[in-house]
Amino acid sequence: MAGRPSTKTNTENNDLVKRNKELEKELEKMKEMLQKLMAEKKVDTKQNSEIKEEEVFPEIPMNKPIKVMSLYTGGLNLKRYEDDKTPIRFNMYGETQPILYMDLLKIISHQRKFFEEGYCIVLDKNVIKAHYLEKHMSKILDKKTIDNLLDYDDEKIKDLFNGTTKQIKETIVDLIVNKIVKKEYVDRNKVALISELYGKDLYEIADKLK
């Protein structure tokens, strides 16, 4: 015949039950704290997002002259509107002209692709930011980089050429071909690399223009 549980065993069981209840309470408190922290984080993230959305752009005076440079190897007309009888004319690659912001505002609106693809570039960070051109500018090589492309190592040339816009690639090819036609010195190995990346032999293009 089994004996009664000892008082010690009952006490241990009661202590265990009590401890389990305390642990459950502590766990509930920790869950509440975690939920509160997550909620606060969501609020912070939302506030940061709202701050970014409310980003303040610098005010640009309408009569401020803004420098614009052509990266196109031919003649380039920038028009304020479709039937503009007095477009702003760029006659050569690298030519820079000041354009009043009130006019540039209309030109960017009417011919935005010229600025996105690199036919020309705005040399004013505030204007670039105000017109959301920063993403496009990151792909457009500046004149110095274009002019010195053949001086870089092969890997750098690949990165620059493959990472830029179609129009800047055309400008690079035009400039190299023009050097070949004029019999200026060019590194034949670098020209061969550009030919491979471009998909056409630059020497063959030059021969047809001679």
Side-chain angles (χ1 to χ4, degrees), residues 20-105:
N20 284 339
K21 287 182 179 180
E22 288 175 353
L23 288 171
E24 287 175 1
K25 287 181 181 180
E26 289 178 9
L27 184 60
E28 284 299 319
K29 286 181 181 179
M30 290 178 69
K31 285 181 179 179
E32 289 176 5
M33 288 176 65
L34 183 59
Q35 289 173 352
K36 186 177 179 181
L37 286 170
M38 290 178 70
E40 289 175 354
K41 186 175 181 180
K42 285 181 180 179
V43 171
D44 289 342
T45 303
K46 185 178 179 181
Q47 287 176 344
N48 289 336
S49 177
E50 289 173 352
I51 289 170
K52 288 180 181 178
E53 289 175 3
E54 295 172 2
E55 190 174 4
V56 178
F57 292 95
E59 186 175 345
I60 306 168
M62 286 294 167
N63 62 347
K64 180 183 179 182
I66 307 296
K67 287 184 179 180
V68 175
M69 176 188 287
S70 173
L71 294 180
Y72 184 60
T73 52
L76 181 68
N77 288 328
L78 297 185
K79 297 182 177 181
R80 302 165 190 83
Y81 41 84
E82 188 63 34
D83 298 323
D84 193 346
K85 303 299 182 185
T86 56
I88 296 169
R89 174 76 176 178
F90 291 82
N91 294 306
M92 64 186 72
Y93 163 78
E95 182 179 347
T96 302
Q97 293 191 42
I99 302 175
L100 293 179
Y101 183 57
M102 66 178 74
D103 290 326
L104 184 58
L105 192 67

Side-chain angles (χ1 to χ4, degrees), residues 84-143:
D84 193 346
K85 303 299 182 185
T86 56
I88 296 169
R89 174 76 176 178
F90 291 82
N91 294 306
M92 64 186 72
Y93 163 78
E95 182 179 347
T96 302
Q97 293 191 42
I99 302 175
L100 293 179
Y101 183 57
M102 66 178 74
D103 290 326
L104 184 58
L105 192 67
K106 297 172 185 176
I107 291 168
I108 293 175
S109 177
H110 180 60
Q111 295 177 311
R112 186 176 177 86
K113 76 168 188 176
F114 282 4
F115 299 88
E116 291 181 346
E117 297 174 12
Y119 285 84
C120 57
I121 55 172
V122 178
L123 303 178
D124 187 297
K125 292 181 180 179
N126 289 339
V127 174
I128 290 169
K129 183 176 181 179
H131 290 270
Y132 297 96
L133 290 168
E134 291 167 307
K135 180 180 71 174
H136 302 284
M137 288 296 296
S138 66
K139 295 181 180 180
I140 297 171
L141 306 181
D142 59 31
K143 184 178 183 297

